[in-house]
Amino acid sequence: QVQLQESGPGLVKPSETLSLTCTVSGGSISSYYWSWIRQPPGKGLEWMGYVYYSGSTNYNPSLKSRVTISVDTSKNQFSLRLSSVTAADTAVYYCARVGYGDYNYYGMDVWGQGTTVTVSS
Amino acid sequence: DIVMTQSPDSLAVSLGERATISCKSSQSVLFSSNNKNYFAWYQQKPGQPPKLLIYWASTRESGVPDRFSGGGSGTDFTLTISSLQAEDVAVYYCQQYYSTPYTFGQGTKLEIK
């Protein structure tokens, strides 16, 4: 079955750019939307945005212009970049697939295990 | 943004008893053209990613035990666990996917009494 794996640095300095990649295995990245969600320590879930396999994107306005999500279909990967990070961006970052069935997209049905990113000098 | 509000924040239920969690959205997530509620429930155990339990408000994800059921429509939804098992201890989140930004409830922590 489809599996997702996040990768990237676990420590990022304030004001720098956080970069993570999610590798999709066991299935194709095509025909789905792919999301990034984060969870600060001890807190709830925040949807950051998604990318369609074609490259179209939708972002959470709360992140303003700091977030960029892209897709590389040749590698079956999609990526997250978050610029100008602060301590408030310290979180577990998850990648996830938006489920599809019956001609509709629905909740996020496949998740990566998550990767912890700490913002600190 | 659609605000999702869960109640209660925490809940303690005896093994074998029923557990019910509520979620209210600040606006309807019922799409009139297909009569579907764009609403989901997730379960998150410590150190694990969330797991999709229910989508379209009442459709169980494949492999989810039938003791889990979802109900409601429009702005008011419930997740019911008919007979609580020890492995159901977790935090439960509701989520709307009616409009972006997708939003989650604050979570309900379910424990054994």
Side-chain angles (χ1 to χ4, degrees):
Chain A
Q1 71 272 23
V2 175
Q3 294 184 314
L4 308 182
Q5 180 65 59
E6 303 91 349
S7 59
L11 181 64
V12 181
K13 289 182 169 53
S15 79
E16 295 190 344
T17 296
L18 178 161
S19 295
L20 297 174
T21 295
C22 183
T23 300
V24 180
S25 60
S28 174
I29 204 166
S30 297
S31 304
Y32 284 94
Y33 289 88
W34 303 90
S35 278
W36 286 96
I37 303 99
R38 68 180 181 178
Q39 186 170 36
K43 295 189 177 180
L45 301 163
E46 180 185 30
W47 176 79
M48 302 180 70
Y50 65 55
V51 61
Y52 193 46
Y53 77 101
S54 64
S56 62
T57 55
N58 192 309
Y59 302 132
N60 193 325
S62 70
L63 297 168
K64 298 179 184 177
S65 58
R66 296 196 299 135
V67 64
T68 303
I69 301 175
S70 59
V71 64
D72 186 336
T73 54
S74 67
K75 295 182 179 179
N76 239 29
Q77 294 176 334
F78 61 106
S79 299
L80 170 74
R81 286 172 58 86
L82 184 66
S83 63
S84 305
V85 297
T86 69
D89 295 309
T90 293
V92 176
Y93 286 76
Y94 296 103
C95 57
R97 186 182 77 173
V98 177
Y100 180 79
D102 196 21
Y103 307 106
N104 283 280
Y105 290 94
Y106 54 90
M108 286 164 280
D109 65 342
V110 182
W111 293 66
Q113 283 301 304
T115 188
T116 299
V117 178
T118 302
V119 178
S120 175
S121 55
Chain B
D1 298 6
I2 298 177
V3 177
M4 309 297 286
T5 304
Q6 293 180 226
S7 60
D9 289 334
S10 63
L11 180 63
V13 175
S14 300
L15 289 173
E17 295 299 304
R18 178 185 299 261
T20 301
I21 299 169
S22 297
C23 182
K24 180 182 281 286
S25 57
S26 61
Q27 64 188 76
S28 177
V29 298
L30 175 62
F31 197 41
S32 55
S33 67
N34 60 9
N35 203 37
K36 287 182 180 295
N37 287 283
Y38 282 58
F39 181 91
W41 288 102
Y42 298 84
Q43 175 193 65
Q44 186 178 33
K45 297 181 179 180
Q48 296 184 19
K51 173 188 175 183
L52 178 65
L53 293 178
I54 303 279
Y55 57 97
W56 303 131
S58 60
T59 301
R60 261 190 309 275
E61 174 73 327
S62 174
V64 173
D66 61 6
R67 64 180 181 273
F68 290 90
S69 64
S73 184
T75 61
D76 293 275
F77 300 90
T78 57
L79 173 68
T80 301
I81 307 172
S82 60
S83 177
L84 189 71
Q85 305 299 303
E87 61 265 32
D88 301 334
V89 169
V91 178
Y92 292 83
Y93 292 94
C94 60
Q95 181 229 342
Q96 65 81 20
Y97 46 96
Y98 180 87
S99 65
T100 58
Y102 295 159
T103 47
F104 294 87
Q106 79 277 17
T108 295
K109 186 174 185 179
L110 178 59
E111 299 173 312
I112 304 294
K113 185 187 291 182

